[in-house]
Amino acid sequence: MADKKIAGRRDILLLAIVLVIGGICMLIMALRPAAGDGIVEITVDGAVYQQMPLAQDAEVEIAGYSGGENRLIIEGGVVHMESASCPDGICVRHRPISKDGESIICLPNRVVVTIYSKEEGSVDAVA
Amino acid sequence: MPSREKLTPRRVALCGMMVALAFILSYVEHLIPFNFGIPGVKLGLANLVVLLALYTLDLRDAFVIAVIRIILTGLTFGGLFSMLYSLAGGLLSFLLMAFLSRKKLLGTTGVSICGGIAHNVGQLLVAMCVLETGNVWYYFPVLLISGAVTGTLIGLVGGLMVGRLQKYLAGRR
């Protein structure tokens, strides 16, 4: 780099460190086993809305915060958001989830869908 | 350095131009979302202006620009709710970048990387409070990497602009 004020050695080092940390975290998450017999928990605005087994195919209509609506589909141990009333649709474009601790979040409707595996209990109760 | 008390026309004009530039860049980003196909990831073009302001104006002016930018774009493109997210991210990122830009530890790229990551962390914190769940942290690695990548881009471009603007402002004094 021509100018040290823009990007010196320390800047490149910082970038490398951050990328490595992020990469390791992502790798750990990707390598977690699928929670085949886990439960799917749906919360709306912080309160538990519904719980159901991951193994069983289902289609759920979720009444979200302030009139929002989401449709969730569980199929073959994989969960995805079919449709949502919110304008951005981030949760709909979110990749399907199947592993312990993974979640789909719809911010406008305050809907959080999380998978917990049965044996380990909920890891997040501690966090 | 502009004096702390004097509200000179030059200072007012500079701040106004910076706010306008930030606003336009937010608009451009609103029109063409550079989200790299990953939800929640943004290039953060307006951060370019905050970076510029930090290196060419005094801290107070830069802060005012950063906050006004968020309020304006929040009211225009988002809503009060998304403004809350922007505000948390924007303030956290401003504090960190302000601190780092005053130390001579990192170049603009490093400062911008830290700012990008801080921005994402601030938004995650709000999401955690609003949703009352810690689950959002599963998204953290993605945001860490995206913050670093977008921060690098903004930092490189910003660095070039800072150099030019400083030269221009010094010649105009």
Side-chain angles (χ1 to χ4, degrees):
Chain A
M1 213 39 68
D3 196 340
K4 251 199 168 158
K5 276 185 190 160
I6 299 176
R9 193 175 297 157
R10 276 187 288 234
D11 300 61
I12 296 166
L13 193 67
L14 175 75
L15 178 64
I17 291 173
V18 170
L19 287 182
V20 167
I21 292 175
I24 290 172
C25 290
M26 276 173 90
L27 205 66
I28 291 173
M29 284 190 194
L31 291 179
R32 268 193 325 234
D37 58 346
I39 37 175
V40 180
E41 185 184 272
I42 303 166
T43 67
V44 176
D45 203 15
V48 175
Y49 180 84
Q50 199 173 342
Q51 281 185 329
M52 64 207 75
L54 181 62
Q56 194 182 322
D57 290 1
E59 197 175 320
V60 194
E61 294 276 352
I62 306 165
Y65 181 75
S66 73
E69 258 178 43
N70 296 63
R71 210 165 82 223
L72 189 79
I73 288 184
I74 307 174
E75 201 170 16
V78 178
V79 183
H80 75 275
M81 199 72 87
E82 177 66 20
S83 64
S85 62
C86 55
D88 53 13
I90 283 173
C91 56
V92 179
R93 278 182 283 135
H94 195 289
R95 65 185 166 76
I97 59 171
S98 61
K99 289 171 185 154
D100 177 33
E102 278 189 318
S103 55
I104 298 178
I105 294 170
C106 175
L107 284 177
N109 295 346
R110 301 197 187 174
V111 171
V112 182
V113 180
T114 314
I115 296 178
Y116 296 113
S117 96
K118 258 180 193 158
E119 303 86 40
E120 293 170 61
S122 71
V123 183
D124 294 277
V126 189
Chain B
M1 265 289 138
S3 75
R4 279 188 82 74
E5 295 90 38
K6 261 197 194 156
L7 203 63
T8 58
R10 174 196 145 91
R11 189 171 149 202
V12 174
L14 256 170
C15 287
M17 265 156 63
M18 289 273 192
V19 170
L21 184 59
F23 191 58
I24 298 249
L25 288 179
S26 296
Y27 180 57
V28 169
E29 185 149 11
H30 182 73
L31 283 179
I32 318 159
F34 310 92
N35 62 10
F36 308 108
I38 312 163
V41 174
K42 276 172 76 181
L43 184 51
L45 271 178
N47 211 26
L48 197 61
V49 176
V50 178
L51 197 68
L52 265 184
L54 272 175
Y55 278 93
T56 53
L57 305 175
D58 73 9
L59 216 51
R60 214 167 48 159
D61 291 355
F63 182 73
V64 169
I65 290 166
V67 172
I68 289 182
R69 198 279 298 179
I70 292 167
I71 293 174
L72 277 182
T73 49
L75 287 176
T76 318
F77 305 123
L80 285 175
F81 195 62
S82 70
M83 202 157 92
L84 190 67
Y85 282 93
S86 307
L87 215 51
L91 287 181
L92 200 63
S93 126
F94 180 85
L95 287 178
L96 193 64
M97 290 204 299
F99 175 74
L100 287 172
S101 65
R102 289 314 184 250
K103 306 254 157 211
K104 297 288 171 230
L105 223 64
L106 295 166
T108 52
T109 310
V111 171
S112 171
I113 289 172
C114 293
I117 294 170
H119 198 275
N120 290 342
V121 169
Q123 298 200 322
L124 270 186
L125 284 175
V126 176
M128 211 167 84
C129 297
V130 170
L131 300 167
E132 295 170 40
T133 167
N135 286 330
V136 291
W137 291 103
Y138 283 102
Y139 210 55
F140 182 65
V142 178
L143 291 181
L144 191 71
I145 291 176
S146 75
V149 172
T150 57
T152 306
L153 295 174
I154 297 291
L156 287 174
V157 177
L160 293 171
M161 288 172 73
V162 166
R164 265 154 232 222
L165 194 63
Q166 274 172 345
K167 229 178 271 172
Y168 173 77
L169 288 176
R172 276 294 174 126
R173 196 158 299 269

